[in-house]
Amino acid sequence: MSKRLPKTIVGFDPGITAGIAILNLNGELLLLKSLRHWSRSSIILEALSIGNPVLIATDRAEAPRAVRELAQSLNLTVFETLREETLEDKSSVINEYASKTGVRIEDEHQASALYAALKAYNSFKNDFKSIELNVERRMSDFKEALIEEVKSDLIKGVPPERSIRERLSQSTVQSVDANLVEQLRKQLL
């Protein structure tokens, strides 16, 4: 069974030397590097070897053509900053991240790419936290219902492993959800 690659945010700073920074959706740095004499295909290969990109980010208010073309090649949206940030603002964000994580930034291209990726991640960070809490709550509800169904199946003579396997199949999960909805409706009426 092959390992699932993480969904990623790719910060990209084009130029003669390009910077690329790849974060997972938890804000953890997976790759930070500079590439001299790069091509779009080399950037794509780097990004796809690390994860499954879901967003391309730039540190500019208007994405450079190379960033737009990279995003188009991968069929992704481009994240642009709302305004051009000062070098001081960028340095503050990057230095804070580097001091927290121990990441070593080797040049301005890596710094720009990392800033772009961090800015994009931070724009979604609160929504990501909300999603995590919502999913955890729903998984807890689902877990309780699944345990009850598996216990019920055990009483009926169905081995727990088989019951779990069957109930976790897509069609069974939907029927468990439908059963819960029906039970709730009966309680409320």
Side-chain angles (χ1 to χ4, degrees), residues 7-11 21-25 53-55 57 116-117 120-121 124 128:
K7 306 285 186 191
T8 60
I9 295 171
V10 178
I22 301 177
L23 302 176
N24 66 19
L25 299 186
V54 295
L55 184 67
Y121 170 77
F124 291 100
F128 288 167

Side-chain angles (χ1 to χ4, degrees), residues 71-83:
Q72 186 176 16
S73 296
L74 293 167
N75 197 27
L76 298 176
T77 303
V78 174
F79 175 86
E80 301 167 316
T81 58
L82 296 176
R83 60 182 169 80

Side-chain angles (χ1 to χ4, degrees), residues 112-169:
S112 292
L114 179 58
Y115 178 79
L118 288 171
K119 194 76 172 168
Y121 170 77
N122 286 333
S123 75
F124 291 100
K125 186 177 180 177
N126 290 337
D127 291 327
F128 288 167
K129 293 291 183 202
S130 177
I131 288 167
E132 289 170 14
L133 292 172
N134 196 1
V135 168
E136 283 177 24
R137 184 176 38 81
R138 289 175 187 241
M139 288 303 295
S140 177
D141 293 345
F142 176 76
K143 178 182 172 184
E144 289 174 18
L146 177 62
I147 289 170
E148 185 175 82
E149 293 296 327
V150 173
K151 287 177 178 178
S152 172
D153 285 346
L154 177 67
I155 291 169
K156 296 173 187 173
V158 178
E161 286 302 314
R162 187 174 115 208
S163 176
I164 292 168
R165 187 176 49 254
E166 289 174 358
R167 293 195 175 278
L168 290 179
S169 71

Side-chain angles (χ1 to χ4, degrees), residues 32-90:
L32 180 64
K33 74 188 303 186
S34 301
L35 297 167
R36 220 168 140 64
H37 307 296
W38 58 276
S39 65
R40 190 176 335 145
S41 60
S42 66
I43 299 294
I44 290 171
L45 287 173
E46 284 286 345
L48 294 177
S49 71
I50 299 298
N52 183 3
V54 295
L55 184 67
I56 302 295
T58 181
D59 65 342
R60 309 288 300 277
E62 186 175 327
R65 189 173 116 213
V67 172
R68 290 191 316 270
E69 289 173 351
L70 176 63
Q72 186 176 16
S73 296
L74 293 167
N75 197 27
L76 298 176
T77 303
V78 174
F79 175 86
E80 301 167 316
T81 58
L82 296 176
R83 60 182 169 80
E84 295 293 325
E85 303 288 340
T86 66
L87 189 56
E88 188 177 287
D89 289 340
K90 289 180 184 180

